[in-house]
Structure formats: structure tokens, C-alpha cells
Amino acid sequence: MPTSKSRCALTGLVAIIMLLSLWTWSDLSAPSMPYVRLSSQAGPEAFLEETTRLTSYFVDYPLPASEFGQMGQRVQILQAWLESPNVFSLNNMQAELLSHNTEALALSLFPFLKRPSASNDSAHLHQLRSSIIPGSKGLVIPVGTKNFRFACHLIANLRRALGSTLPIQIAYAGESDLPRDYREYIVSLEPQISTFDVTAVFDDKTLELAKGGWAIKPFALLGSTFERALVLDADAVFLQKPEVVFDDDPRFKSTGTLLFHDRLLWKGAFKNRHKWWEKELAHTNLSSTIRHSKVFIDGYAEEGDSGVVAVDKSRIGVFIGLLHICWQNSATVRRRYTYVKGHGDKESWWFGFELSAVPYSMEKHYGAILGRTVVDSKSEKVCSFDIAHVDHEGKLFWYNGSLLKNKRRNQTEFDVPTVWMLDGKWEKSGNKFLPSCMRGAPIQHISDIEAELLGGIVKAAKSADIELDELFPGIRGSDQTDPILKGKFPNI
């Protein structure tokens, strides 16, 4: 007889299947999805029969790129199948059938799972999960030649200034993205740094990661061998060891995830984006996280800053949600929807977890600002090109934008910020060459310890640049100038 746990699992799975069967499929040529009503008393035989029916349907009728919500429902079925061995006692033949159906479902949803070097009949999902080293934790930094300089600065920040000992995996998308001489140099900088080619882990035919920009980030996180991992933008700057997420943060310990908020901007300006979110989430029970979102509830523009993301892939739900996020960043989906509806990969993270019904944690505050005081006719405000983030205790943790004062306009001018502000009102023009500002909240001064730390990081970065300029001429790139602003704002 099935246990109470197995009955709950079956009931949950049946509910998902019933919900899916009620949907109107975008592909009108597809017949109705096969559905057999299962009793909560059903045993593994009935469950396995239903997995076979569903597998055949999902393989024959893959989802179009527009169906984010339906992908979330199918992902939930995949999760239920992965978890079912914990609630059923299966014999060897039954376990083999379940494994076959699970692999077929996973590959129908995510064709990129097929490892290039693997045979056609390989268990691709199992191989990926088996590559994760139990108990491991570390940092993943996607790096190409364009952000190589900043990655070297970040390594100096983490290792020399903060003394972080977490191992680092440098992810890249093929030889052209990060040639051998770059890879050999970056692994020589500090101990416990290695590299891996994401296109050797996933089939790149549907991904095109070498020209995908931000798209590599979720694939780097999924393909890393770390069980608990933080993916970092190369231009991030840390004021604390990233270890605090794994060791001390109650939000990460609760859900196995930690996402950070973007700036709170442009209320009511992106109504079509919100309508699309609501449409795709129509068949999802909204999480407590998104129900407390000022962006989703009050209509602000952008929810997530994906410069730092933390996950625990040992949790099946988190792993499955990450698959949905990766799908959103595959070539066709990102070009037609993800990067059209939002700015790059930023919204795909919370959206993927939400659509997959996976609990996730987000930073309590929306993005802060770290920079310098500016006085105008209204009041004092803090201005810069950087978005800052705090830890679970409200202390400065990291910021994005690099150590440069303005990485677009000047490749040699570094800056050590002096003040910061949290929970004020953002002021941002539509011009990326102009700084953003925040006013309306207390201006907080950088502590002497933080100022000394940042000064040391800048010194280490300048030292690194001397060697980089010699070994990789042109590594800094060229300064950009907005012709409209040229000569008008010399101090920006």
C-alpha cells in the first residue's frame, strides 16, 4: 500500500496534470493532453503508466518559445518525477522505466542538456546532476575577453583584500570567448582557480552563448560542479567575503537561494511588461516573495539585479527552477521574449523560480547607491554609476559597476566612494552616460575600515592593470563618449 507521503505526492502530481489539461495550448495542431484520473490510493504501477503517457505527449508536442507559464507547469511535473523515488518503493524495472521517462521529458523541455561528447542514449540529466560534487561550495565567474580585466580585479578583491578562500571556477563559452593565453593567465593569479567551457557541458546549438552576453550566467551556474554556488558578474566589488551567504545568511539557509533587487524606478512605465508577467503567472500560486514585491504589486520597472545570485543545487526544486531560468536564456527564447520583455537576464531569475513554484529568497531592500554627495537646489543626494546591496543585517555587502568611476567614459579613473544611501528615491535619466542619484533618506558615510578596504582593492587593481597592459595590449578597451553630452559634463 502507498504511504501517506506517496499519496500526497500523487495528489500533487495529479493536480498539476489536471491544471495543464485545462490550458488552451498555443499549438492548435496538438491534441488534448492525455489524462487519466488517478486515485490518491494508486500505487507505483498507475503512476508509471501516467508518466509514460505524459512523456509521449510532451516529446511529440514541445512548447513554443512563448509559453513561459506552461513551461513552468511541465517543470513541476519533472520535479515530481525526480522526487517520486523518495515516496515509492520501486523494483529495478520500475526504476529504469521512471528514469527513462524522466530523461525523455527533461530532454524534450531542455534540448541543451545533451552533452556534446555524450552518446544519443545517455542519461543527460543524470550525468549533469552526478557532476555536482556533494558538499562543495564556491564562486562562478563568467569571463570573456571583454570583461577579463574586471575579472582580474575581482579576483584581487576576493583573494588579496578580503582573504576569501572559496574556490573559483571561471566559465567561458568556447575558445573564441576566452582563448588559452587568457585562461592560463587567470588561473595563475591565485590558488584554487580553474576554468570550464560551458559549451562542453551543454549543447550550444540552441544557446549560442559565445554571442549571448548575459545569457551564459545561468548556464555557468547550472554547469558548475559546485553544489552551493554564487555566480558573480566580473565587475562586482565586494566589501565582505562572499562566504557570509553560505555560512550566515538565514534567507539562503531557508530556501537555498538568494537574489538581489534592482533599483526601484519608473513606476507605471512598463505596463506591457507587467501584463505579460501576469499572463504567464495566471496559473501559478504566487509566492509570498512576489506578493511582497514593490515592482510586481506597485508597478515599478525592474525587480532583479543578477550581478550576484546564490543557489543550492542539492535541492531538487532549486535545480529544476534553474533549468527554467536557463531555458529563458536560450537563444530563441531570449531574442523573442526574455530580452525583449526585460533587460537581459535580470528578470529571468525570479520569474523562473516563481513559474516553477520553487520558494526563493530576495534581498529585503531594493538597490542602494554608493558614491559621492551632490548638493543641488532641492537637497543633498548621493550620485554614482553603482548599485549597492546590503547583507541580511543591513551592512554593505557588494556593488556592481566596477572600481572605475565610470567604466563607459574613462578606463583609467578609479574611485573610492565616500557615502551611501538606502531606501531613498532614485533619480535616473534615460542616458547611460549620466550618473544616477538617490535622495530622501539618511546619507551614510563609508566607515574608515571600508574606505581602507576599498583603497586597497583599487591599489591591487592598478597593479594588476600594469601587467595586463603589457600582456594583453588593448585590454582596457576604449573610452566612450555620448556626442550629446560631450564637453557639457566634464566631471561625470
Side-chain angles (χ1 to χ4, degrees):
M1 292 293 291
T3 66
S4 60
K5 284 187 176 180
S6 66
R7 287 194 294 270
C8 289
L10 274 171
T11 302
L13 180 58
V14 168
I16 294 171
I17 299 169
M18 289 181 67
L19 178 60
L20 276 168
S21 67
L22 295 174
W23 280 35
T24 301
W25 299 90
S26 297
D27 182 0
L28 298 180
S29 64
S32 298
M33 185 175 65
Y35 171 64
V36 177
R37 182 177 297 278
L38 294 178
S39 164
S40 62
Q41 303 295 320
E45 294 82 4
F47 168 73
L48 290 171
E49 182 180 351
E50 192 64 7
T51 67
T52 300
R53 291 173 181 269
L54 286 172
T55 298
S56 177
Y57 180 88
F58 291 152
V59 169
D60 288 343
Y61 301 101
L63 287 174
S66 59
E67 300 301 330
F68 284 55
Q70 292 187 36
M71 176 60 77
Q73 298 297 325
R74 293 193 183 189
V75 159
Q76 291 176 57
I77 292 177
L78 179 60
Q79 179 178 348
W81 292 5
L82 287 171
E83 292 176 339
S84 61
N86 297 325
V87 294
F88 286 123
S89 295
L90 303 177
N91 61 38
N92 289 340
M93 288 186 62
Q94 290 172 330
E96 185 175 341
L97 176 60
L98 176 61
S99 176
H100 171 80
N101 289 342
T102 301
E103 290 288 341
L105 171 57
L107 200 59
S108 75
L109 301 178
F110 313 113
F112 56 78
L113 286 174
K114 185 177 179 181
R115 191 178 290 258
S117 60
S119 60
N120 290 332
D121 58 350
S122 293
H124 304 289
L125 182 65
H126 175 74
Q127 286 184 359
L128 178 62
R129 296 184 69 202
S130 297
S131 70
I132 300 170
I133 301 171
S136 61
K137 57 184 178 181
L139 309 174
V140 182
I141 309 174
V143 180
T145 55
K146 292 181 180 179
N147 65 358
F148 186 78
R149 177 195 181 199
F150 293 140
C152 294
H153 293 175
L154 177 56
I155 289 171
N157 172 187
L158 296 169
R159 287 285 195 264
R160 300 180 203 171
L162 292 174
S164 172
T165 58
L166 287 172
I168 297 171
Q169 291 182 351
I170 302 297
Y172 64 99
E175 185 70 22
S176 63
D177 188 36
L178 193 68
R180 179 185 294 273
D181 52 343
Y182 288 81
R183 301 197 302 269
E184 290 178 346
Y185 177 79
I186 202 166
V187 300
S188 72
L189 292 175
E190 298 288 343
Q192 294 195 82
I193 299 176
S194 59
T195 65
F196 75 99
D197 182 357
V198 179
T199 65
V201 180
F202 303 107
D203 187 347
D204 196 45
K205 292 187 184 69
T206 62
L207 305 182
E208 300 179 25
L209 292 178
K211 51 185 177 182
W214 302 294
I216 192 176
K217 288 159 61 176
F219 292 97
L221 196 52
L222 183 64
S224 164
T225 60
F226 297 135
E227 184 175 76
R228 289 180 291 165
L230 278 156
V231 64
L232 316 178
D233 277 358
D235 66 351
V237 180
F238 281 82
L239 289 88
Q240 298 184 50
K241 291 181 181 181
E243 282 93 330
V244 300
V245 173
F246 300 139
D247 298 339
D248 303 325
D249 198 304
R251 300 164 298 184
F252 181 78
K253 291 181 178 181
S254 172
T255 66
T257 63
L258 182 59
L259 310 181
F260 291 88
H261 282 299
D262 205 340
R263 295 166 289 199
L264 204 57
L265 285 167
W266 300 317
K267 185 175 182 179
F270 291 87
K271 293 181 180 179
N272 288 337
R273 176 185 297 174
H274 280 263
K275 288 179 181 178
W276 179 69
W277 285 344
E278 291 165 6
K279 171 183 173 290
E280 297 305 321
L281 290 167
H283 297 280
T284 301
N285 292 323
L286 297 181
S287 70
S288 60
T289 303
I290 204 63
R291 283 189 277 108
H292 288 88
S293 161
K294 292 182 178 180
V295 171
F296 189 77
I297 301 300
D298 296 335
Y300 286 92
E302 295 171 338
E303 180 77 354
D305 179 354
S306 61
V308 172
V309 175
V311 298
D312 180 352
K313 294 186 291 184
S314 70
R315 306 191 189 202
I316 293 178
V318 174
F319 180 87
I320 288 300
L322 193 52
L323 283 171
H324 193 299
I325 295 162
C326 285
W327 173 80
Q328 291 182 62
N329 287 272
S330 59
T332 299
V333 181
R334 70 176 182 257
R335 288 171 184 160
R336 294 183 182 176
Y337 298 98
T338 312
Y339 292 16
V340 175
K341 302 293 187 180
H343 183 69
D345 68 301
K346 294 196 299 183
E347 309 304 327
S348 67
W349 297 87
W350 70 266
F351 204 38
F353 287 132
E354 193 72 40
L355 287 166
S356 304
V358 175
Y360 61 101
S361 299
M362 292 201 78
E363 176 185 19
K364 177 181 178 181
H365 302 272
Y366 280 81
I369 192 166
L370 182 69
R372 293 182 178 272
T373 304
V374 174
V375 181
D376 62 13
S377 59
K378 296 180 182 178
S379 64
E380 285 188 324
K381 57 185 179 179
V382 178
C383 296
S384 79
F385 292 87
D386 304 323
I387 307 173
H389 301 278
V390 297
D391 66 8
H392 61 286
E393 295 180 338
K395 301 174 183 176
L396 280 173
F397 183 27
W398 69 278
Y399 66 93
N400 66 17
S402 85
L403 294 161
L404 298 176
K405 184 177 181 180
N406 182 343
K407 67 180 181 181
R408 289 187 176 91
R409 286 179 60 92
N410 191 315
Q411 298 301 314
T412 60
E413 185 181 10
F414 290 84
D415 188 43
V416 175
T418 58
V419 293
W420 64 291
M421 185 180 288
L422 181 67
D423 295 338
K425 183 177 180 180
W426 277 95
E427 299 174 352
K428 187 180 188 303
S429 76
N431 193 311
K432 64 184 179 180
F433 290 90
L434 288 173
S436 299
C437 299
M438 182 184 284
R439 71 169 86 234
I443 293 178
Q444 304 183 58
H445 290 269
I446 299 294
S447 70
D448 291 342
I449 293 175
E450 290 166 336
E452 183 179 358
L453 172 67
L454 288 170
I457 298 171
V458 168
K459 183 178 180 180
K462 289 181 176 179
S463 176
D465 278 348
I466 294 173
E467 188 169 57
L468 287 170
D469 286 337
E470 181 179 346
L471 295 175
F472 305 99
I475 191 68
R476 298 185 190 223
S478 57
D479 297 342
Q480 301 177 37
T481 302
D482 187 324
I484 297 175
L485 301 177
K486 187 175 181 180
K488 293 184 179 181
F489 300 92
N491 295 321
I492 293 174

